[in-house]
Amino acid sequence: MATPKDLPRDIGGFIRDLRRNAKISLRQLADQAGVSNPYLSQVERGLRKPSAEVLQQLASALRVSTPVMYLRAGLLDALDAKEGQGVLGAIAADPDLTLSQKQSLSQIYETFRRENARTAAEAAEADEADEVGVPGEPAAEPAADQQTTTPKPAKKTVHKAVKKTVAPAAEEEK
């Protein structure tokens, strides 16, 4: 399997391919990302290297995960400590996947991670509220049969994420 270091570092061509795949003009992407049209043109042609902040803005405008954008730009090595980079790196490096399939898988993965983090944060808040309790009342004890694992993402959120990312990619492949 190819490693992230084996990936081409042509971030400009990658951004251009993503933009064309999204069927938006250079000017539209520049406006959405908050960068100038000439600057984005230079990035796409490989004349300029965008900063991590600009890559994040472009990733957001193109609806791809920021880590995938960092991976393609060669910035991921500095961010390796962050969890989940192995999965995104494997998706980006897989030669058997098309660009739109890679985007879809990365978006689904990031959606799962955000949903799990949100659910875990809500569970932590609920635990804190239970620990504090109501003054004058005994603290509620958890039932012996309660599971202590992190709740799974809501089915609706997962279904929306899959429908939003996989359906367009499948249509595009036809």
Side-chain angles (χ1 to χ4, degrees):
M1 180 175 97
T3 65
K5 292 179 182 176
D6 296 332
L7 289 174
R9 299 289 193 232
D10 181 18
I11 188 64
F14 181 66
I15 292 169
R16 183 179 44 251
D17 290 343
L18 290 173
R19 178 179 58 79
R20 288 178 177 166
N21 193 28
K23 296 181 177 150
I24 59 174
S25 70
L26 186 76
R27 182 167 288 150
Q28 288 171 319
L29 178 58
D31 287 342
Q32 290 175 8
V35 297
S36 73
N37 191 26
Y39 175 76
L40 182 57
S41 175
Q42 290 174 349
V43 168
E44 283 193 359
R45 291 182 288 142
L47 301 176
R48 290 254 171 127
K49 289 195 174 222
S51 67
E53 183 179 341
V54 170
L55 287 171
Q56 182 178 14
Q57 292 168 284
L58 289 167
S60 177
L62 290 166
R63 296 192 176 128
V64 298
S65 83
T66 304
V68 168
M69 193 69 82
Y70 288 165
L71 176 74
R72 292 304 294 250
L75 299 177
L76 188 61
D77 294 341
L79 304 172
D80 259 343
K82 186 177 176 190
E83 259 182 59
Q85 299 308 323
V87 173
L88 293 171
I91 291 169
D94 192 326
D96 296 329
L97 297 175
T98 66
L99 181 62
S100 61
Q101 290 169 335
K102 290 176 184 182
Q103 289 172 340
S104 296
L105 284 172
S106 296
Q107 288 171 348
I108 291 169
Y109 178 73
E110 288 295 321
T111 300
F112 285 152
R113 288 181 51 92
R114 279 192 301 273
E115 181 64 22
N116 287 344
R118 185 186 63 77
T119 304
E122 288 174 358
E125 287 175 12
D127 286 347
E128 272 184 30
D130 286 347
E131 286 176 12
V132 171
V134 178
E137 290 186 18
E141 292 190 26
D145 63 341
Q146 276 187 330
Q147 293 183 357
T148 59
T149 58
T150 305
K152 292 184 179 169
K155 285 184 181 179
K156 282 185 180 180
T157 303
V158 172
H159 181 69
K160 284 181 189 176
V162 170
K163 187 175 180 182
K164 187 176 182 180
T165 57
V166 174
E171 283 297 316
E172 187 176 297
E173 296 300 316
K174 289 182 181 178

